[in-house]
Every structure is written in C-alpha cells, then in structure tokens.
Amino acid sequence: MLPSKIPAHSRLVRSYDLITPAGRTYRFPPPTLLQRLVRWAVGHAETVAISAAILALIYAAGFVAEALDGSVFDACSDQVGVRRVG
C-alpha cells in the first residue's frame, strides 16, 4: 500500500523562536554550517552505511574469486596447452 502523502523535505531553518507558556519569546540563531553538515550526515547515515557494506562485500568477493580462480586450475595445469591431433 502506497502512502497517501509524499513526505516533504525539511525546509531550511533561518531562525527558531520559542514561546514559553509565560509569554516570553526566545530567539535562537540559525544553524551553523557545522550543524547543518551534521544534520545532513545523520539524515544520510543509513544510506552511506548500506553502500559501504555493499562495496565491502563486492571487494571481498573479488578476493575470493581471485583465490578460487588459481586453485581450480592448478589441479589440471599439466594439461593446459596440450592438444591432441589426430
């Protein structure tokens, strides 16, 4: 079942106002570049972790395939290149 609403991306925060029950208003400054980068990294951490795991598995599979490639043909290496004519 598909969601009825497409989730909207978070908007850029320019300032943050907090109004207390007593009526006081506190204005916070906009997020710094470091805070925005950390927020972006946390939002994409799962995707980056899954991508890194897939790349590690592909890399490991290459080593395994290379190790198996040599050992499979070692058993019959004495017959490689010999052709029977006739």
Side-chain angles (χ1 to χ4, degrees):
M1 178 188 234
L2 295 174
S4 59
K5 278 180 122 180
I6 297 174
H9 294 287
S10 59
R11 293 179 287 155
L12 179 65
V13 176
R14 296 186 184 190
S15 66
Y16 183 71
D17 295 339
L18 176 68
I19 303 171
T20 64
R24 291 179 144 172
T25 302
Y26 294 99
R27 181 173 290 257
F28 293 92
T32 63
L33 177 63
L34 179 62
Q35 289 171 333
R36 286 184 291 181
L37 288 174
V38 168
R39 184 178 177 120
W40 179 87
V42 168
H44 291 81
E46 183 179 352
T47 305
V48 170
I50 291 171
S51 298
I54 290 171
L55 287 174
L57 288 173
I58 291 171
Y59 193 69
F63 279 125
V64 171
E66 188 176 305
L68 289 177
D69 186 35
S71 65
V72 169
F73 295 113
D74 283 344
C76 57
S77 64
D78 56 340
Q79 297 177 0
V80 174
V82 177
R83 290 186 176 184
R84 292 186 180 182
V85 178

